Amino acid sequence: MTGPRQPDDSSATAGQSRPEAGYEHIDDDVCRSFQRSVEIVGKKWSAAVLLAAMRGARRFVDYRARIPGISNHLLSQRLRELEGHRLIERLVVPTTPVLITYRPTEQGASLMRVLHPLIEWSAKNGDMDT
């Protein structure tokens, strides 16, 4: 005969389950900050613009060449938004004609370093639409 049954740690207690290992320290403020960050990079074309910047795009035409399908209007909008979030830096060189370049800030580069495993994961796992 066996002793009393021990509670199963994997079952839900009062509607909640235990956090996965490594996530138990994350509080609500961190969750909100994470959500804002994910929404910035998850906005359509934003990650592609950041990736193009990390791959060496500097001028507007470089970004267009590295991001097939994006319109000029939307590329301009995303560059402005990412500049506003301090992920892309816009540099104006007062020449004739004026030369405008964009490059990732250290903050933008650090974000892309964090996202690099996702790039590798997506390369291994292919197209998720099929």
Side-chain angles (χ1 to χ4, degrees):
M1 199 157 191
T2 62
R5 185 171 178 205
Q6 296 297 318
D8 180 6
D9 287 341
S10 65
S11 66
T13 305
Q16 293 184 352
S17 60
R18 301 182 104 192
E20 293 286 329
Y23 294 89
E24 59 277 341
H25 69 282
I26 299 173
D27 65 18
D28 290 343
D29 289 336
V30 172
C31 286
R32 284 187 286 277
S33 177
F34 170 75
Q35 184 64 34
R36 285 189 300 270
S37 298
V38 166
E39 287 177 3
I40 290 167
V41 78
K43 196 170 191 178
K44 189 169 185 175
W45 300 110
S46 292
V49 172
L50 284 169
L51 183 56
M54 294 300 290
R55 294 179 59 221
R58 293 296 175 260
R59 300 186 63 208
F60 192 86
V61 295
D62 299 333
Y63 284 90
R64 282 296 312 268
R66 286 182 167 89
I67 310 170
I70 192 169
S71 69
N72 288 343
H73 174 77
L74 201 47
L75 177 55
S76 294
Q77 185 177 351
R78 290 299 176 265
L79 285 166
R80 280 192 306 274
E81 290 169 358
L82 293 169
E83 182 185 8
H85 292 297
R86 296 184 308 258
L87 299 173
I88 293 281
E89 180 179 28
R90 182 177 188 258
L91 305 164
V92 179
V93 180
T95 58
T96 305
V98 173
L99 176 65
I100 299 172
T101 60
Y102 303 88
R103 66 179 181 203
T105 62
E106 181 50 43
Q107 189 174 355
S110 71
L111 174 60
M112 289 307 293
R113 284 191 292 273
V114 170
L115 292 175
H116 196 264
L118 180 58
I119 295 167
E120 291 175 341
W121 181 89
S122 63
K124 274 196 259 182
N125 290 284
D127 190 359
M128 299 298 292
D129 290 339
T130 58

